[in-house]
Amino acid sequence: AEYMGANRTIDDSNVIETSKSCIDTSTLLENIPCNSTSISTKGDSLIACVSMAAVAIPTSVPAWKRNLCRMLLVLVSFMISVVSFDIFAFVFAFVGAGPAAIVAFIQPPIFHMILYKNSLHWTVILKDFTVILFGVLGSFMSLSATITELIRKF
């Protein structure tokens, strides 16, 4: 069988790989125009890897303008970090104490207990609660140290 993708026709024996996110082509309409599609085959199912971006500069804009826009965004971010170096360290400390601790230490054991609630041994539940407690205490200690240092500095 032959399939169309990325303006190429390939057969089942060919495999083209990229590092894009993959979706099943059974949900796609045939001949969707796409400038970055790669196709791989597994058995009878065809998987198309379609490049997805939340925000993209349209390709109708010349390449030099797209690159200039990207460069300006990076330079503005860099200048903000250089100008506000002392405050920037506190921003990272707050992010590390808050959202990063929640994502790394608190949410995974909660999700584990929710997903496997009927099949967990009490020792695993105890371990999950220990990790949650460690995350909450570490977050609280880090947040309080950051606030104390911020008050002392300013």
Side-chain angles (χ1 to χ4, degrees):
E2 292 189 347
Y3 305 100
M4 289 294 294
N7 300 326
R8 295 183 195 102
T9 302
I10 66 167
D11 60 15
D12 285 338
S13 63
N14 293 333
V15 176
I16 303 169
E17 296 181 19
T18 64
S19 61
K20 309 293 182 199
S21 53
C22 295
I23 59 175
D24 188 357
T25 55
S26 63
T27 61
L28 295 176
L29 299 173
E30 289 187 17
N31 299 324
I32 294 176
C34 179
N35 59 3
S36 177
T37 302
S38 65
I39 296 177
S40 67
T41 58
K42 287 185 176 179
D44 292 336
S45 66
L46 175 69
I47 299 173
C49 299
V50 180
S51 175
M52 297 177 196
V55 177
I57 300 171
T59 55
S60 61
V61 176
W64 70 271
K65 286 184 180 179
R66 292 192 310 258
N67 291 334
L68 180 65
C69 181
R70 290 181 186 115
M71 188 176 66
L72 288 175
L73 287 172
V74 170
L75 285 175
V76 167
S77 300
F78 175 74
M79 292 308 295
I80 289 172
S81 66
V82 167
V83 170
S84 62
F85 179 73
D86 294 335
I87 299 170
F88 204 66
F90 291 112
V91 170
F92 276 126
F94 277 113
V95 169
I102 291 170
V103 169
F105 293 107
I106 299 170
Q107 284 181 340
I110 290 173
F111 294 151
H112 181 249
M113 288 190 297
I114 290 171
L115 290 173
Y116 297 101
K117 63 183 167 192
N118 297 330
S119 63
L120 292 178
H121 192 262
W122 69 270
T123 56
V124 176
I125 295 172
L126 180 65
K127 178 217 31 128
D128 285 343
F129 275 115
T130 304
V131 173
I132 291 170
L133 181 65
F134 176 77
V136 169
L137 289 176
S139 179
F140 177 74
M141 290 170 45
S142 178
L143 192 58
S144 63
T146 302
I147 291 171
T148 303
E149 184 66 24
L150 185 63
I151 291 170
R152 186 181 66 78
K153 185 152 183 125
F154 296 105

